[in-house]
Amino acid sequence: FLLMRRPPRSTQSRSSAASDVYKRQEIQGLDLSHFRSTPRLSTYLYCVIAGAFKELEAKKLYRDIPMSLYCRESLYDLMKKDAEEIFEITRESMRFYEKYFHYQYPFSKYDQIFCPEFNVGAMEHPGAVTFNDLYVFREGVPLERRVRRANTISHELSHMWFGNLVTMKWWNDLWLNESFADYISHYCLAKVYPCLLYTSPSPRDS
């Protein structure tokens, strides 16, 4: 896919699998953004995300793969509190999957975008995963909810290999795509982040 988009200047735009915006033009008060062409993708995986999002870039990377979090500005401070936990789960899960699948992460960047009024928990767009912004916690939450978010992060990341790099031939095999992601995300977290899975709840979690 090749994308050109004309959002208002204050709008953030991200696209599946494309590493960056390689050219911008100003036309009649709008920024025309040219994204790099994606690898060949199934059409259901391609996406464009645009809106008044605020970005938080990861300072610590895995293999220099750019990683960012996005959310509404009103939720930014809340997202920032949990950002290092989210980035650490992402980095360590990516390291695990590369070793487990014997195949490097197949895309050029990894954005995680927390979207308002999203009608599902998350969606595994290549390199630009979207989440319901209820995963940006507004208050202290039980450990169970942090584990559920960690599992969703790892689940969606596993789809970069199983579902995105290799895609089922037709929808009647979708059950295999999702059930394997459910299994491997739990297995991954048990290996790379056991302190979250097996830690007794603290006062902050209760």
Side-chain angles (χ1 to χ4, degrees), residues 42-56:
S42 296
T43 53
Y44 86 97
L45 293 170
Y46 186 70
C47 74
V48 179
I49 303 106
F53 292 104
K54 191 166 182 179
E55 179 183 11
L56 179 62

Side-chain angles (χ1 to χ4, degrees), residues 104-155:
Q104 288 190 344
Y105 174 72
F107 304 108
S108 56
K109 51 94 175 175
Y110 198 72
D111 296 326
Q112 297 178 89
I113 303 103
F114 295 87
C115 304
E117 301 179 16
F118 198 46
N119 67 343
V120 293
M123 178 61 198
E124 66 270 18
H125 308 292
V129 176
T130 48
F131 294 85
N132 189 313
D133 71 6
L134 292 176
Y135 280 116
V136 179
F137 300 139
R138 276 67 161 175
E139 56 190 2
V141 297
L143 180 63
E144 178 187 2
R145 287 187 63 190
R146 289 176 57 211
V147 171
R148 193 180 310 155
R149 181 177 65 186
N151 183 255
T152 302
I153 291 168
S154 187
H155 174 114

